[in-house]
Amino acid sequence: MQDSATDGNPGLLARLIAPLSPDEFFARYYEKAWYCTPAPVGEFADLLTIDRIDEILSDSELPPGAISMAQAGRSLPAEEYLHTGGAVDRGAVIDNFRNGATIVLPQLHFADGKLYAFCLGLERDFGARIQTNIYLTPTNASGFGIHYDDHDVLVLQMAGAKKWEIYGQRDGLPFRGEKFSSERDDPGPLQAEFVLKPGQCLYVPRGLCHRAANEGDEPSLHITIGILVQTWAEFVLEAVAEASLRIPQMRESLPRSLFLDESAHAANAAIFHRLMDQVRQLASFDATRAAMGGNFVLGQGPRVRGALTTLAGGLAEEDVLRVRPDTLYAIDPAGEEPQLRIAETAVALAPDLAPQLQALLARGQFAMVDFAVEDRADLRDTVETLVAYGLLERG
């Protein structure tokens, strides 16, 4: 399988962390230490505004889970800003904000085209899924106490200012779901404090304790960009699962003696070590990479803005289509059943179409007249499917 992606927004990470280069960032800071840009980056100023938050709160559909609130280091009970049936009480949200509560909009990139395109642009840089959480904090307030996150974050300050406090790093990077506990985790002494101003970007690795509070007499709006990495532990577990398909004994039940009969300890340990030796011999790096890579591609949600109007208006064979920027896809043109994977679906490809499509996708744009296939109806159906799922857009 060949994994491919467009490169429509190169240098997004580089522009976020300038003057630091991505090579320096990954060598010196990534998963190791915090980094704050010395100067604002003006080109992201219109990515999100307080006026846009106001519009979302007043005019958008807000299902349960689309909003939460926090104040003075604790999450507000849902009943303080939700109606009994679970609908958002918009007036209560704004009233709580007036009284010092932070408005949190998790996963807003799924409802905002600019944020979604921004996330897609960073997925190529990190080789990981990217998400956003939005925090709007009133003056003289803080949302959360000292804590660490279980995923790395980039923080982009959009309006107002936040005073950040940096504490210690826990031993070992946390796994997903390993949350900070004030009873268990010692944040250590204060190591740095600074004010993040509009346009500045801050990187905080997972496991690094920190706290932020509003600074000055303006509300603070920032975007927390979550980097949802996959770990080597997950890769190895997938490799074991993949190898198990070729080791029949791995599908047998655990022996009844495993937990109840100490006299069988040595025999059971021998079975375990024998199976691990077989896994070591049969595990395939390439097969595991292909499986996890395919899932990574399929997990990227479709970006389909414009697809409906394109298809409703009709496509002529001469119409130029281009690969949508930063959309991931994986294509296997040579298998028994050629297919292209994209956005939670797999599109079957005719054998004579698959290699031509692979080459033209790599070129970045094409028209249906560029294909030399006999079944033009199948070609049209395939191309229109790729428009529908957001891989292609009108050029």
Side-chain angles (χ1 to χ4, degrees):
M1 175 178 291
Q2 177 181 345
D3 294 330
S4 304
T6 63
D7 205 11
N9 197 2
L12 180 53
L13 175 62
R15 301 198 305 276
L16 272 176
I17 61 175
L20 192 71
S21 71
D23 286 344
E24 291 176 301
F25 170 75
F26 284 111
R28 296 175 54 194
Y29 296 97
Y30 186 56
E31 298 185 325
K32 302 180 186 73
W34 64 275
Y35 168 76
C36 183
T37 58
V41 182
E43 70 175 284
F44 302 108
D46 64 345
L47 188 58
L48 188 67
T49 64
I50 294 178
D51 186 63
R52 172 65 175 140
I53 302 299
D54 185 48
E55 179 185 28
I56 291 168
L57 291 176
S58 62
D59 300 335
S60 299
E61 180 182 359
L62 293 171
I67 191 169
S68 63
M69 304 196 77
Q71 186 170 14
R74 69 178 183 92
S75 297
L76 262 61
E79 56 268 22
E80 294 192 20
Y81 55 89
L82 298 182
H83 291 297
T84 303
V88 174
D89 185 341
R90 301 168 196 264
V93 169
I94 297 173
D95 201 37
N96 280 312
F97 174 79
R98 178 181 65 87
N99 288 318
T102 292
I103 297 172
V104 184
L105 298 173
Q107 309 287 317
L108 186 62
H109 57 290
F110 287 127
D112 185 276
K114 282 185 180 180
L115 287 177
Y116 191 63
F118 182 81
C119 288
L120 296 189
L122 284 173
E123 288 189 351
R124 287 293 309 283
D125 288 310
F126 285 98
R129 200 96 293 145
I130 302 295
Q131 69 175 20
T132 63
N133 289 330
I134 311 304
Y135 298 87
L136 178 60
T137 303
T139 56
N140 301 315
S142 62
F144 298 96
I146 299 174
H147 68 285
Y148 62 70
D149 297 307
D150 64 356
H151 56 275
D152 298 62
V153 299
L154 290 163
V155 177
L156 186 56
Q157 190 71 28
M158 303 306 302
K162 272 279 180 73
K163 181 180 180 182
W164 281 78
E165 298 173 349
I166 303 294
Y167 294 85
Q169 176 84 30
R170 58 158 271 171
D171 290 334
L173 296 168
F175 280 111
R176 189 90 53 86
E178 278 193 277
K179 301 295 185 182
F180 175 84
S181 169
S182 58
E183 298 177 355
R184 180 196 64 217
D185 297 305
D186 178 11
L190 178 67
Q191 296 186 2
E193 55 183 336
F194 52 90
V195 174
L196 198 66
K197 298 180 180 179
Q200 286 186 287
C201 183
L202 168 68
Y203 167 72
V204 181
R206 60 193 186 276
L208 180 66
C209 292
H210 59 273
R211 175 170 57 187
N214 198 10
E215 178 83 356
D217 55 4
E218 297 180 24
S220 165
L221 173 64
H222 77 257
I223 304 169
T224 293
I225 303 153
I227 306 162
L228 308 183
V229 302
Q230 297 183 90
T231 65
W232 277 111
E234 293 167 280
F235 193 92
V236 170
L237 289 172
E238 179 66 28
V240 171
E242 194 277 330
S244 297
L245 299 175
R246 297 183 297 283
I247 305 174
Q249 191 175 1
M250 291 286 276
R251 296 190 288 278
E252 296 178 4
S253 63
L254 292 173
R256 290 171 294 169
S257 60
L258 183 63
F259 305 117
L260 303 175
D261 186 355
E262 285 299 316
S263 67
H265 181 276
N268 288 327
I271 294 172
F272 169 77
H273 290 299
R274 184 169 65 251
L275 289 173
M276 292 303 295
D277 286 340
Q278 292 183 60
V279 167
R280 189 177 299 110
Q281 294 169 13
L282 296 176
S284 168
F285 173 81
D286 289 335
T288 304
R289 177 181 178 274
M292 292 192 71
N295 291 336
F296 179 64
V297 169
L298 288 172
Q300 185 185 68
R303 186 182 177 207
V304 298
R305 180 67 181 269
L308 183 62
T309 54
T310 295
L311 294 174
L315 282 172
E317 288 221 344
E318 298 79 14
D319 289 343
V320 174
L321 296 167
R322 66 168 184 157
V323 181
R324 195 184 291 264
D326 300 313
T327 298
L328 301 177
Y329 66 90
I331 187 168
D332 182 1
E336 292 183 6
E337 298 179 348
Q339 62 176 226
L340 183 149
R341 297 183 185 182
I342 180 177
E344 303 173 346
T345 194
V347 180
L349 304 175
D352 62 335
L353 171 60
Q356 296 180 61
L357 180 62
Q358 181 183 34
L360 290 171
L361 286 172
R363 194 173 77 183
Q365 67 177 34
F366 55 84
M368 282 185 277
V369 294
D370 296 329
F371 290 87
V373 296
E374 292 185 8
D375 194 338
R376 308 303 292 184
D378 177 73
L379 168 64
R380 174 173 291 277
D381 181 66
T382 299
V383 168
E384 290 184 349
T385 297
L386 298 182
V387 171
Y389 278 91
L391 179 57
L392 301 176
E393 62 182 353
R394 197 181 291 276

